[in-house]
């Protein structure tokens, strides 16, 4: 069975070059929507800086999107409030750019602004970034850069001290504004390009990530008359940029958009060949001719189409290839001028059910199956009554082989799925041994499920009801509510106690020191000569501690005992210290 599938080919730009291959992807509408969300956050600015409004406004401008009126008004007021003529060159450039792009009324700059920017360009200690932004700001104000040769000499001097990638990137931008005086930068282009890092032979980027890579791409492609990048390099840079399309900062979003735009308008524009249309901007002059070099069926690698030109579509970058092929997956090799790519497409087509037979058969095969023929979408007129000695049999004939053919038996939340497999004559059959497959008796609904990745009309067909009597009752559902069964603990029996004589012996030994103390007191006597009034608090505290220990042994718990021990012990400690100090003084001659 053949079906007609219209294949649309769009050549779109974002990052594109004249290579023998195309980049694999583009910035789709959902990616652009995420970028817009990041840029809008930059425009809801609550701090006194110009960078975040600049990122948002410039990003919207490059994407040809209109800013909401409320954001325009708020950001104009914000810039007007916080702008200072003696701000850094970068802040001046960002403020003036945002002011112009927003279309704010009035003039933001003053004579002090121009004087400040010219002073930067004459400063031999200014960095390449400061020189670049000062020159950008003057150009924005339509003011000529004074003494371009001197500015070029200052840039070269600064590059001798700092030739980092960031410094080189700003030098590229600055040199592009100096006319012929900036031709010195042509000698540094190769130095910049060779410092790019290649990843897995597919991506190209500079150390420093997206911001540095964007700075260098836009700077290199800005030099008049230069061809700094080959088509292959542009393609690999585009592939890197595509990996960063989910950037979450406003600065990163603008860096991505600026780099994409620079590549898109360059003479090494990378090309994306897609079924749908990297920024959504079509090529002004599409490569031609556009030819399907081959179409290969993936399942068996059979070539079904060769060197078939595509006909023009509704717009200059759309081409149509009618695929009058059997449903399936195909690998199509396309060429557009010097560009080429390989795409995988699916040709969809309907599946027709020719007939279905369902019924019961005996497990021993002694009798022929009793089958009922059905036409979609009809159901069995009555339920099938089966016992444990029977099988459920289903036969199915369809127009072509498909990947998924299932019979589903379900009752409530319980279900069981059986897979139908085709035989040599493409006839699908399922034979279910009810006694072994079903766990209990019950009523089950029967549903036929047909599906395939290239099937345009997937199907779920309720066939009827099966009442299975297997002499096995359905287990009762246990209630999840109500009291839980009692948990009974078995405690360990008490250990055997020692004989009474042994206990009395050790009790006597424990009490012996106290008895000995009393005997000695009776024999020697007690000397109260050194007893003073300072001894009373100490002995009261010590006695209190002994009494607390007795209560702990008798009835108190550890926490209560500790709570009482802290104040009593503290009192006893201070009283004892005072008593010992007094005794020490008395012993001194």
């Amino acid at each position: 069975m053949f079906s007609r599938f219209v294949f649309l080919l769009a050549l779109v730009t974002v990052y594109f070059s004249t290579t023998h291959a195309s980049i694999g992807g583009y910035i789709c509408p959902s990616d652009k929507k995420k970028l817009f969300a990041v840029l809008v956050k930059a425009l809801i600015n609550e701090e006194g800086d110009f960078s975040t409004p600049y990122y948002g406004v410039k990003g919207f401008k490059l994407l040809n999107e209109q800013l909401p009126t409320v954001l325009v008004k708020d950001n104009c007021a914000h810039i007007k409030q916080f702008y200072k003529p003696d701000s850094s060159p970068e802040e001046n450039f960002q403020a003036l750019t945002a002011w112009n792009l927003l279309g704010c009324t009035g003039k933001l700059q003053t004579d002090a602004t121009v004087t400040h920017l010219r002073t930067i360009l004459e400063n031999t200690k200014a960095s390449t970034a400061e020189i670049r932004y000062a020159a950008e700001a003057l150009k924005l104000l339509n003011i000529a850069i004074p003494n371009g040769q001197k500015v070029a000499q200052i840039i070269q001097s600064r590059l001798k001290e700092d030739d980092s990638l960031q410094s080189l990137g700003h030098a590229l931008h600055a040199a592009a504004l100096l006319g012929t005086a900036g031709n010195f930068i042509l000698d540094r282009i190769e130095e910049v390009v060779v410092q790019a890092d290649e990843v897995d032979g597919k991506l190209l980027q500079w150390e420093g990530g997206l911001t540095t890579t964007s700075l260098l791409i836009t700077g290199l492609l800005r030099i008049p008359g230069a061809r700094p990048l080959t088509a292959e390099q542009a393609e690999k840079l585009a592939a890197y940029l595509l990996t960063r399309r989910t950037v979450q900062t406003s600065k990163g979003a603008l860096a991505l958009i600026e780099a994409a735009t620079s590549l898109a308008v360059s003479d090494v524009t990378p090309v994306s060949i897609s079924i749908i249309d990297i920024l959504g901007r079509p090529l002004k002059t599409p490569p031609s001719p556009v030819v399907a070099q081959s179409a290969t069926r993936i399942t068996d690698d059979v070539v079904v189409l060769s060197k078939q030109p595509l006909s023009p579509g509704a717009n200059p970058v759309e081409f149509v290839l009618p695929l009058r092929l059997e449903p399936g997956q195909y690998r199509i090799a396309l060429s557009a001028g010097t560009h080429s790519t390989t795409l995988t497409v699916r040709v969809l087509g309907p599946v027709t059910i020719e007939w279905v037979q369902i019924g019961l058969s005996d497990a021993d095969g002694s009798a022929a199956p009793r089958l009922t023929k059905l036409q979609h979408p009809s159901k069995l007129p009555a339920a099938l009554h089966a016992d444990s000695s029977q099988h459920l049999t289903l036969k199915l004939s369809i127009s072509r082989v498909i990947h998924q053919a299932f019979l589903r038996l379900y009752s409530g939340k319980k279900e069981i799925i059986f897979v139908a497999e085709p035989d040599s004559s493409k006839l699908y059959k399922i034979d279910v041994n009810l006694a072994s497959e079903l766990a209990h008796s019950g009523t089950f609904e029967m549903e036929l499920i047909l599906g395939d990745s290239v099937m345009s009309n997937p199907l779920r067909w309720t066939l009827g009801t099966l009442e299975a009597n297997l002499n096995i009752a359905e287990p009762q559902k246990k209630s999840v509510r109500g009291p839980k069964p009692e948990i009974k603990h078995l405690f360990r029996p008490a250990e055997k106690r020692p004989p009474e004589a042994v206990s009395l012996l050790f009790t006597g030994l424990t009490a012996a020191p106290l008895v000995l103390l009393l005997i000695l007191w009776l024999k020697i006597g007690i000397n109260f000569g050194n007893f003073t009034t300072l001894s009373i608090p100490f002995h009261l505290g010590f006695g209190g501690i002994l009494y607390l220990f007795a209560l702990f042994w008798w009835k108190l718990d550890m926490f209560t005992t500790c709570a009482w021990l802290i104040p009593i012990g503290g009192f006893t400690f201070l009283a004892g210290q005072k008593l010992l100090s007094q005794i020490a003084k008395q012993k001194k001659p």
Side-chain angles (χ1 to χ4, degrees):
M1 179 179 182
F2 292 90
S3 65
R4 177 180 176 83
F5 183 86
V6 178
F7 177 80
L8 300 179
L9 172 68
L11 301 181
V12 293
T13 67
V14 142
Y15 322 131
F16 305 94
S17 70
T18 311
T19 68
H20 294 288
S22 69
I23 59 173
Y26 58 98
I27 295 179
C28 63
S30 63
D31 295 327
K32 294 173 71 175
K33 186 176 180 180
K34 293 175 183 177
L35 290 174
F36 286 138
V38 175
L39 296 174
V40 167
K41 288 181 181 179
L43 292 167
I44 305 173
N45 187 42
E46 298 179 353
E47 299 180 3
D49 69 276
F50 308 115
S51 58
T52 49
Y54 163 75
Y55 298 141
V57 174
K58 187 70 177 293
F60 266 78
K61 180 65 176 179
L62 291 175
L63 292 173
N64 293 323
E65 289 293 325
Q66 191 71 28
L67 275 171
T69 305
V70 63
L71 289 179
V72 173
K73 184 178 179 181
D74 289 348
N75 281 275
C76 285
H78 174 83
I79 295 172
K80 185 71 174 178
Q81 179 183 358
F82 292 101
Y83 175 74
K84 296 179 181 179
D86 59 348
S87 299
S88 69
E90 183 176 6
E91 289 178 331
N92 254 301
F93 167 69
Q94 291 172 343
L96 293 170
T97 302
W99 184 267
N100 286 352
L101 292 178
L102 288 168
C104 304
T105 57
K107 189 172 68 170
L108 183 64
Q109 76 279 4
T110 64
D111 293 340
T113 304
V114 178
T115 302
H116 176 62
L117 295 173
R118 285 176 171 171
T119 302
I120 295 294
L121 292 177
E122 296 173 357
N123 185 0
T124 57
K125 299 299 182 181
S127 66
T128 56
E130 291 174 326
I131 295 172
R132 176 257 177 115
Y133 287 119
E136 296 270 23
L138 287 177
K139 181 182 178 182
L140 194 64
L141 298 174
N142 293 320
I143 298 175
I145 298 174
N147 200 345
Q149 288 293 343
K150 183 179 178 181
V151 175
Q153 291 174 2
I154 295 175
I155 295 174
Q156 294 178 74
S157 176
R158 299 306 297 164
L159 287 177
K160 291 179 181 179
E161 299 178 12
D162 179 13
D163 62 349
S164 63
L165 289 174
Q166 284 281 339
S167 181
L168 283 168
H170 290 298
L172 288 167
H173 284 272
L177 301 172
L178 299 178
T180 56
N183 288 342
F184 71 91
I185 204 65
L186 296 174
D187 298 332
R188 307 300 294 263
I189 289 178
E190 184 177 356
E191 175 188 347
V192 173
V193 175
V194 297
Q195 293 188 60
D197 300 323
E198 190 168 348
V199 182
D200 297 331
K202 300 177 181 179
L203 310 179
L204 203 62
Q205 69 175 91
W206 279 277
E207 183 181 357
L210 177 60
T211 304
T212 302
T213 300
S214 176
L215 174 68
L216 294 171
I217 289 175
T218 54
L220 289 169
L221 296 177
R222 193 175 181 182
I223 304 300
R227 293 182 59 89
L229 299 174
T230 65
E232 183 180 1
Q233 290 169 336
E235 181 181 303
K236 292 179 179 180
L237 287 169
Y240 166 73
L241 293 175
L242 285 174
T243 65
R244 301 302 310 274
R245 52 190 159 183
T246 56
V247 63
Q248 296 297 309
T249 65
S250 55
K251 184 177 182 180
L254 178 59
L256 173 65
I257 297 168
E258 284 184 323
T261 304
S262 293
L263 280 173
V265 299
S266 69
D267 55 1
V268 285
T269 306
V271 171
S272 173
I273 303 178
S274 310
I275 296 178
I276 57 175
D277 85 337
I278 187 161
L279 221 21
R281 300 175 184 171
L283 291 171
K284 294 180 179 179
T285 307
S288 62
V290 180
V291 179
Q293 298 295 339
S294 65
T296 306
R297 190 163 53 227
I298 294 177
T299 54
D300 52 12
D301 284 336
V302 172
V303 177
V304 296
L305 180 151
S306 179
K307 296 188 180 303
Q308 182 171 333
L310 276 70
S311 57
N315 59 67
V317 294
E318 182 180 280
F319 299 85
V320 181
L321 175 64
L323 296 179
R324 297 180 178 86
L325 303 172
E326 292 184 351
Q329 294 194 25
Y330 296 86
R331 185 170 54 251
I332 300 180
L334 291 168
S335 65
T338 59
H339 307 282
S340 63
T341 192
T342 301
L343 301 174
T344 300
V345 299
R346 291 186 299 166
V347 177
L348 304 182
V351 171
T352 303
I353 301 176
E354 297 175 351
W355 52 264
V356 171
Q357 291 181 341
I358 188 169
L360 301 173
S361 62
D362 295 331
D364 55 7
S366 58
R370 298 177 295 279
L371 304 179
T372 301
K373 195 169 186 178
L374 297 176
Q375 294 292 332
H376 182 266
S378 61
K379 298 172 59 175
L380 288 170
L384 296 178
H385 297 271
D387 56 37
S388 58
S389 66
Q390 293 178 309
H391 288 195
L392 175 64
T393 300
L394 180 140
K395 295 180 180 180
L396 171 67
S397 177
I398 56 179
S399 56
R400 62 180 174 84
V401 176
I402 60 175
H403 290 162
Q404 298 174 336
F406 304 127
L407 175 64
R408 174 176 175 250
L409 302 184
Y410 62 96
S411 176
K413 295 183 179 180
K414 298 179 181 179
E415 67 175 9
I416 182 170
I417 304 292
F418 303 96
V419 181
E421 298 288 350
D423 57 18
S424 57
S425 61
K426 297 183 181 181
L427 178 67
Y428 287 82
K429 183 178 180 181
I430 297 176
D431 190 71
V432 181
N433 186 337
L434 299 176
S436 60
E437 297 292 350
L438 300 183
H440 55 79
S441 302
T443 301
F444 300 87
E445 296 295 324
M446 299 180 293
E447 184 181 44
L448 179 65
I449 302 174
L450 303 179
D452 193 273
S453 61
V454 293
M455 180 177 174
S456 61
N457 59 333
L459 177 72
R460 300 187 69 160
W461 178 10
T462 300
L463 301 175
T465 304
L466 170 67
E467 294 184 0
N469 183 12
L470 307 179
N471 296 322
I472 303 174
E474 183 177 0
Q476 295 293 325
K477 295 182 179 179
K478 295 182 179 180
S479 176
V480 296
R481 301 181 180 275
K484 300 293 183 183
E486 181 183 357
I487 301 175
K488 296 182 179 180
H489 294 283
L490 179 63
F491 294 95
R492 186 176 63 180
E495 296 182 359
K496 186 178 180 180
R497 302 183 67 177
E500 185 177 355
V502 175
S503 298
L504 291 175
L505 173 62
F506 278 90
T507 301
L509 292 174
T510 303
L514 180 59
V515 174
L516 180 61
L517 176 64
L518 294 174
I519 293 172
L520 290 175
W521 277 354
L522 291 173
K523 186 175 181 181
I524 300 174
I526 301 174
N527 181 13
F528 290 99
N530 291 328
F531 191 84
T532 65
T533 55
L534 290 175
S535 302
I536 297 174
F538 171 73
H539 286 87
L540 287 175
F542 183 68
I545 292 174
L546 294 178
Y547 179 68
L548 183 62
F549 285 168
L551 291 176
F552 174 62
W553 175 78
W554 180 28
K555 63 178 180 179
L556 295 182
D557 56 57
M558 182 177 63
F559 298 103
T560 305
T561 303
C562 290
W564 281 100
L565 182 61
I566 291 173
I568 296 174
F571 171 78
T572 305
F573 171 77
L574 294 175
Q577 187 182 39
K578 185 69 175 176
L579 178 61
L580 291 174
S581 299
Q582 182 64 28
I583 294 173
K585 289 180 181 179
Q586 292 176 354
K587 289 184 178 181
K588 287 184 179 181

